Amino acid sequence: MAGQPAPLVTRQVGSTRGGGQRPEPAELRAAARCPVVDAGGRSVPFAALYGERKAIVVFVRNFLCYTCKEYVEDLAKVPKAFLQEANVRLIVIGQSSYHHIKTFCSLTGYTHEMYVDPQREIYKTLGMKRGEGNNVSVRSPHVKSNVLLGSIKSVWRAMTGPAFDFQGDPAQQGGTLILGPGNEVHFLHLDKNRLDHVPINTVLQLAGVKPVNFTNKPQIIDI
């Protein structure tokens, strides 16, 4: 099973702009200056997240999105010891107010780093798209709910929250990068739609981190 993600790596890295091509230096420089905000409201430049060491950075659609919730639930299973051994940071970035970070971490069990880009400046600068792509065959190996049930759960969470808040632009898509140290870009994938996630073990292996055993998730087994 350890070698199975390899074809996916080739597909993601070799795709065209808008799917996986590395950003131009000017794009990364512009994104590096954009602020991100942590759970306490503290703002730091995006570059500070990967300037000193390599970082896996996952941009999610919004914190109410059921596919994002289920993907982050699996990211939460990555042991901190694996990341420390590889000297790699694991960071999730959303596009809501920072006030939603602690609730989303509690909901998903995620204990690694999380920030928000409330104005979507980095999303826009790096070319992350808005709207759903036409490739309906794309399926995330980490999403368990179907579209109907997942959408109902998302709306229910919005309605039962302190305010009817979709916690970000619901049309915004996300992406995954491996950056650093410095301006190194090792990998970039821009999601085509809400299910177009890179398998977590693919990203971990590309970053030099040990893969995680997801055998209790039969959806990720690809025969």
Side-chain angles (χ1 to χ4, degrees):
M1 287 182 63
Q4 283 185 259
L8 293 171
V9 175
T10 303
R11 176 178 64 84
Q12 301 292 358
V13 172
S15 56
T16 58
R17 184 73 177 112
Q21 185 178 343
R22 295 180 181 182
E24 296 296 324
E27 293 175 341
L28 186 58
R29 285 196 300 270
R33 295 189 293 268
C34 295
V36 292
V37 186
D38 68 14
R42 174 174 168 265
S43 178
V44 297
F46 180 50
L49 306 186
Y50 56 86
E52 299 297 323
R53 57 188 171 119
K54 187 180 293 183
I56 298 168
V57 185
V58 178
F59 288 83
V60 297
R61 297 179 68 245
N62 61 76
F63 289 160
L64 278 181
C65 172
Y66 73 94
T67 66
C68 299
K69 172 183 173 290
E70 295 180 9
Y71 189 77
V72 174
E73 285 174 340
D74 278 359
L75 284 176
K77 299 178 186 296
V78 178
K80 291 189 176 182
F82 286 14
L83 298 169
Q84 291 168 352
E85 181 180 345
N87 196 28
V88 171
R89 300 172 74 173
L90 176 57
I91 301 165
V92 168
I93 296 180
Q95 39 116 5
S96 72
S97 163
Y98 74 88
H99 296 94
H100 294 297
I101 292 177
K102 289 182 179 179
T103 300
F104 189 66
C105 286
S106 177
L107 180 69
T108 57
Y110 180 86
T111 59
H112 305 296
E113 298 177 73
M114 187 174 293
Y115 297 83
V116 292
D117 172 18
Q119 304 303 319
R120 296 187 293 120
E121 294 180 54
I122 304 170
Y123 286 80
K124 295 172 186 175
T125 302
L126 295 181
M128 296 180 197
K129 64 173 290 183
R130 292 184 72 254
E132 296 281 344
N134 296 323
N135 189 356
V136 295
S137 65
V138 174
R139 294 290 303 177
S140 171
H142 300 283
V143 174
K144 284 71 71 178
S145 300
N146 61 41
V147 174
L148 177 60
L149 180 60
S151 299
I152 291 172
K153 289 178 179 178
S154 295
V155 173
W156 178 252
R157 282 201 289 130
M159 294 177 64
T160 55
F164 192 87
D165 178 3
F166 280 98
Q167 302 181 22
D169 181 350
Q172 179 66 57
Q173 303 300 325
T176 301
L177 300 90
I178 302 174
L179 302 168
N183 293 323
E184 284 290 319
V185 182
H186 306 278
F187 177 77
L188 167 66
H189 171 82
L190 304 181
D191 298 344
K192 299 179 183 69
N193 59 47
R194 72 187 66 189
L195 294 171
D196 189 26
H197 299 138
V198 184
I200 291 170
N201 276 338
T202 296
V203 181
L204 294 176
Q205 289 173 328
L206 279 170
V209 180
K210 289 179 182 177
V212 175
N213 185 354
F214 287 113
T215 54
N216 63 326
K217 309 284 186 189
Q219 292 87 347
I220 75 165
I221 298 175
D222 184 15
I223 304 300

